Amino acid sequence: MKKLPISRFVLTVFVAVLLACSSSAFAAEKTDGMTIGDLNLTEEQLVSLGGLIEEFGELQFEIVMEIEKKFAELRREIKKKGRFDTKIKEKMTVQKVNKLVKEIISLEGQLIKKRVEYLLKVKNVLTEEQKIKLISALEFEDDFFEDELPEIMELDLLIIPLDLTKEQIKKILRYKTDMKIKALKIDLQILYQILDLQTEINKVEVDPKNIDKIILKITDLGTKLLENRVNGFLKSKDVLTVPQRKMLIQTYM
C-alpha cells in the first residue's frame, strides 16, 4: 500500500498504541522507523498520558456502544418480515436503513475525531522537541478510511451477479463517477493541508496552534471522504430491485 509522509489522514499507529495500551507497553512500540522510546518520556509524562488513555477509553466505549446499538437496529430492520410487501413499506424500509447507515457512519466519524483530539492532547504533554520528533515521523495509510467502512460498503455492485439492466448499470456508473469526482476534490484539499502542515513543521519557530488547526482540518476532510463513499453506495444500492436487494442481503449479510 502506498504511503506518504504525513499522508491522507492524521491518525497513526502511535495513536492506536497510545489509546489502547498501557503506558509500559506504549514505551516499546514503534511509529514506523521511530520507536516511542526515542521520545525519552519522563515518569511524569507517562502518568499524564495514562490519564488521557483512561479518559479516552471511557469516551470511546460510549461511542462504540452507540454504534453497536445502531447496528443491531439496522440488522433488525433488514431482517424484518414483510418489509417489501407494498411500495409504501419498501420506501419506509429504504429510508430507515439509509438513515441508520448514515447515523453509524456519523458515529464512526465522531470516534475518529475523538482519537485525533486526544492525539493533540497527548502532543501537549510533550516537550517542543518531542512534539516535532513525533509529528515529523508520522506516516499514514493512503486508504485509511477503507478500514472504517462496513464490509458491505466495499462491494462493487457492478461485478456482483445481480442481473442488472443496462439502465441500472448506467445509473450506478453515474453515481460512482460523481462519488469519485467528489473524492478527488476532497483529496486535493487534504493534500493542500498536508503541504501546509509540512511547511509549519519546517519553520524555525513552530506554532502549535497552527499545527493543531491543520490536523483537525485534515480530520474533518477525512470524515467527508468517508461520508462521500457511503452516500455513493446508498444511491447505487437504491437502484436495485427488491429481488436484487434480497440477493445482496442474503449473500453478504
Side-chain angles (χ1 to χ4, degrees), residues 112-173:
I112 290 169
K113 288 178 181 179
K114 284 296 177 187
R115 288 173 182 161
V116 174
E117 286 173 12
Y118 273 81
L119 168 62
L120 299 181
K121 288 185 179 183
V122 164
K123 181 169 68 66
N124 292 333
V125 173
L126 307 179
T127 65
E128 293 304 313
E129 183 180 351
Q130 289 168 333
K131 290 175 187 177
I132 299 303
K133 188 181 289 187
L134 170 65
I135 295 174
S136 298
L138 301 182
E139 290 187 356
F140 317 103
E141 291 289 343
D142 233 13
D143 57 354
F144 171 82
F145 288 97
E146 300 289 333
D147 296 333
E148 300 299 314
L149 290 168
E151 187 176 351
I152 194 169
M153 299 284 175
E154 301 294 329
L155 300 177
D156 186 342
L157 299 183
L158 293 176
I159 64 175
I160 298 172
L162 295 172
D163 296 323
L164 298 171
T165 65
K166 288 183 179 180
E167 195 59 36
Q168 285 178 312
I169 292 172
K170 287 179 182 178
K171 286 184 179 180
I172 292 173
L173 281 172

Side-chain angles (χ1 to χ4, degrees), residues 60-98:
Q60 178 177 244
F61 179 78
E62 291 177 6
I63 297 174
V64 169
M65 287 300 98
E66 187 63 24
I67 290 172
E68 290 298 321
K69 179 181 174 183
K70 294 291 183 184
F71 262 120
E73 190 177 350
L74 179 61
R75 285 190 288 268
R76 287 195 299 271
E77 189 66 32
I78 288 173
K79 295 178 180 179
K80 188 169 64 178
K81 292 182 179 180
R83 63 191 182 281
F84 296 130
D85 285 353
T86 66
K87 287 290 183 182
I88 293 177
K89 285 185 178 181
E90 179 187 343
K91 185 177 181 180
M92 289 176 64
T93 296
V94 169
Q95 289 176 342
K96 184 70 178 292
V97 166
N98 288 357

Side-chain angles (χ1 to χ4, degrees), residues 2-16 19 31-32 105 107-120 135 137-148 186-187 189-195 197-198 214-227:
K2 187 178 76 170
K3 285 194 173 186
L4 297 173
I6 308 194
S7 184
R8 301 295 175 84
F9 182 62
V10 183
L11 181 62
T12 68
V13 174
F14 174 78
V15 182
L19 301 177
T31 304
D32 291 301
I105 295 305
L107 287 166
E108 293 279 7
Q110 288 179 38
L111 185 55
I112 290 169
K113 288 178 181 179
K114 284 296 177 187
R115 288 173 182 161
V116 174
E117 286 173 12
Y118 273 81
L119 168 62
L120 299 181
I135 295 174
L138 301 182
E139 290 187 356
F140 317 103
E141 291 289 343
D142 233 13
D143 57 354
F144 171 82
F145 288 97
E146 300 289 333
D147 296 333
E148 300 299 314
I186 298 172
D187 274 341
Q189 293 179 61
I190 290 175
L191 288 173
Y192 286 153
Q193 292 298 319
I194 290 168
L195 289 173
L197 182 57
Q198 291 172 328
I214 294 169
I215 289 174
L216 290 173
K217 179 64 175 177
I218 293 172
T219 305
D220 286 337
L221 290 168
T223 57
K224 286 183 180 179
L225 274 179
L226 186 61
E227 291 167 1

